[in-house]
Amino acid sequence: MLSIQDLSRRELLRVGGLSAAGLTLPVHRAAAGPAGPAKACIFLFLGGGPPQHETWDPKPDAPAEIRGEFKPIASSVPGLRVGELMPRTAARAHQVCVLRAVSTNDNAHSASGYWVLTGHPHSPLNQESSKPGPPNDAPSLAGLVRHLRRDAARIPASVILPEHIRNNPNNPWPGQFGGWLGRAADPWLLTCDPSTPRFAVPELALPWDVPPLRFDDRRSLLDEVNRHLDRANGAYAAYQHQALDLLRSPAARRAFDLDAEPAAVRDRYGRHKFGQSVLLARRLVEAGVTFVQVNWPREKGDENAGNPLWDTHQKNAERLKTVLMPQIDQAYPALLDDLDQRGQLDSTLVVWIGEFGRTPKINGAGGRDHWGHVFSAALAGGGIRGGQVIGSSDKVGGHPKEGRVEPQDIHATVLHCLGYGAETTVRDVEGRQLPAVRGTVIRGAV
């Protein structure tokens, strides 16, 4: 008979029927953060770079090779016109504060994305396929919120779903982690597809053959394993215990039970991966998660496509019309409506943003290329003054004209809405006290 000393941790976890993937949740215990108009934030990251011309900043008077084939339409805000492919969103414009002069001056996905996600410029600018780590080791906004807010009641403060952002399968972008705040600030990543039938998150699913009494026995076994193997690393034991708490928590598991939603609600969000991820984000916020980042997911065939995600280097109009805009113009308004009807929009900040925009001029392949000089973002709910536009771009949508903001200003605005002012500081893993807020709250947005 094998003793514990004869078994590796992996073998013991296998014997216990628990996946190692479910035992990776850092744990903090602390009081909730300061009061702000927003109790939570849902951060919709449209990876690849959505075009400003076909969304929030159409240029109908520009030449055809700039304005594109779509016309602007009226919105619920007098004088505010948006792209014709977003009619549902246009009808909710009175709830939205549009930022038309966001800028990084960085045209590389991962470098500009690092700035958008962390509020820190990448070093150097315009470097594509950059990797996580120093000198680009600032914490993501999700990681910063987790560090500030701390986990409570078996629920992580920050969650990213349905996948990490990456240029290829082996190269996740920098700026998605806890960075110099340490691994305990890493947002909890949920790699999942909520659009699948009978969706369940594997990390939270008990094996079918494990009744509660056997589960308790296996927890005791893990305690014994940890005493033998983890004397040098108490943190790993803490991660295991939180994962096991989540496994046992009916409240936590209910947050992932999308089948509990009426079919009509799920249909409104869209039965695609992005739409159901946005619905899951709303449920996680209701369960107590402070910050949920929903990344635009890669689709089947994206790895070899010339225009994956929102990276429309070719056939921009076709992909916008058939794939991209139908999904965002379904899920985004559904989220605003759902939060509003539940009385939660005033306390939930919703951010729409990508890593940059697209070139003013359409290229020879009918696409738009990378453009960080000016792009659009949108804020709604959670203390934001809707029904307005802040900033403007020039006549071709190529550079800021007035009201220029940078990503750190958006971060400062989000943190302000969550109750964290300019005086807020954090300590890095070396004990240095650093400002949490590096930008300026966007004037007029709150």
Side-chain angles (χ1 to χ4, degrees):
M1 178 177 179
L2 289 175
S3 66
I4 289 178
Q5 289 83 352
D6 296 322
L7 293 174
S8 69
R9 177 186 282 110
R10 183 174 298 277
E11 288 167 330
L12 284 164
L13 292 175
R14 179 180 56 79
V15 171
L18 295 172
S19 166
L23 303 175
T24 58
L25 304 179
V27 59
H28 308 280
R29 298 294 181 198
K39 296 179 181 178
C41 176
I42 297 176
F43 193 89
L44 305 178
F45 188 81
L46 311 188
Q52 62 273 25
H53 298 79
E54 285 89 0
T55 55
W56 296 109
D57 195 11
K59 299 294 181 182
D61 298 325
E65 66 270 19
I66 290 171
R67 69 173 183 263
E69 65 182 67
F70 303 115
K71 297 179 175 59
I73 58 173
S75 75
S76 60
V77 177
L80 172 58
R81 298 173 73 80
V82 299
E84 70 172 85
L85 297 179
M86 45 197 297
R88 294 185 181 94
T89 299
R92 281 83 174 171
H94 58 283
Q95 298 171 319
V96 179
C97 175
V98 180
L99 307 177
R100 280 182 170 169
V102 185
S103 180
T104 62
N105 287 325
D106 193 318
N107 296 330
H109 286 293
S110 53
S112 190
Y114 175 82
W115 194 347
V116 169
L117 294 172
T118 68
H120 294 253
H122 188 273
S123 180
L125 295 178
N126 291 295
Q127 178 175 304
E128 197 58 271
S129 298
S130 54
K131 296 180 179 180
N136 299 298
D137 201 29
S140 65
L141 181 57
L144 180 61
V145 170
R146 186 172 196 190
H147 180 82
L148 290 168
R149 198 66 120 205
R150 308 291 182 174
D151 298 345
R154 300 178 176 177
I155 298 294
S158 291
V159 171
I160 294 175
L161 61 93
E163 58 194 50
H164 264 159
I165 311 162
R166 52 191 171 84
N167 280 13
N168 59 60
N170 299 314
N171 191 10
W173 287 6
Q176 303 185 71
F177 310 97
W180 44 252
L181 288 175
R183 295 303 303 273
D186 283 355
W188 180 26
L189 171 67
L190 278 177
T191 302
C192 59
D193 183 355
S195 67
T196 56
R198 301 182 65 183
F199 163 70
V201 178
E203 288 88 340
L204 297 184
L206 280 173
W208 67 271
D209 64 338
V210 182
L213 289 176
R214 287 185 62 198
F215 181 72
D216 289 339
D217 290 342
R218 291 178 183 186
R219 179 166 185 159
S220 298
L221 174 62
L222 282 173
D223 288 339
E224 189 173 351
V225 172
N226 288 330
R227 283 193 293 272
H228 177 71
L229 297 176
D230 286 322
R231 290 189 178 94
N233 184 9
Y236 193 87
Y239 301 165
Q240 288 180 326
H241 277 285
Q242 188 183 19
L244 290 166
D245 283 344
L246 283 164
L247 281 165
R248 296 179 55 141
S249 167
R253 293 200 300 273
R254 278 197 298 271
F256 297 94
D257 184 11
L258 293 183
D259 287 333
E261 292 284 341
V265 172
R266 298 193 68 178
D267 290 343
R268 281 202 299 272
Y269 279 83
R271 294 283 183 157
H272 36 76
K273 191 173 183 178
F274 179 74
Q276 296 303 295
S277 294
V278 174
L279 174 57
L280 178 56
R282 192 219 80 203
R283 292 179 63 84
L284 288 170
V285 163
E286 288 180 325
V289 178
T290 299
F291 191 98
V292 183
Q293 179 175 321
V294 181
N295 295 329
W296 191 273
R298 285 183 176 267
E299 303 171 25
K300 186 177 181 180
D302 267 0
E303 299 298 343
N304 300 314
N307 53 358
L309 307 170
W310 289 80
D311 197 23
T312 54
H313 289 286
Q314 59 184 344
K315 298 180 180 179
N316 175 68
E318 178 183 328
R319 184 155 170 82
L320 288 173
K321 187 174 183 178
T322 61
V323 178
L324 300 171
M325 293 307 299
Q327 293 187 51
I328 189 64
D329 194 50
Q330 184 173 25
Y332 180 67
L335 175 63
L336 297 183
D337 288 351
D338 213 358
L339 290 171
D340 194 24
Q341 292 163 8
R342 292 168 175 269
Q344 297 168 355
L345 185 58
D346 288 343
S347 60
T348 307
L349 173 59
V350 179
V351 179
W352 157 324
I353 198 168
E355 69 267 34
F356 46 44
R358 312 304 297 185
T359 50
K361 188 174 181 179
I362 297 172
N363 64 30
R368 295 189 190 267
D369 300 314
H370 302 176
W371 197 255
H373 302 293
V374 72
F375 55 104
S376 298
L379 310 175
I384 295 297
R385 294 171 55 191
Q388 61 171 331
V389 175
I390 294 178
S392 63
S393 65
D394 60 22
K395 62 182 181 181
V396 297
H399 292 87
K401 181 179 178 181
E402 60 182 9
R404 181 180 186 272
V405 300
E406 295 182 342
Q408 65 269 24
D409 304 316
I410 297 174
H411 287 212
T413 305
V414 170
L415 291 171
H416 170 84
C417 291
L418 290 172
Y420 297 97
E423 74 286 352
T424 306
T425 60
V426 294
R427 291 189 182 274
D428 68 7
V429 291
E430 297 181 359
R432 295 173 297 186
Q433 192 166 347
L434 301 168
V437 181
R438 296 179 181 270
T440 302
V441 176
I442 299 171
R443 187 174 181 179
V446 295

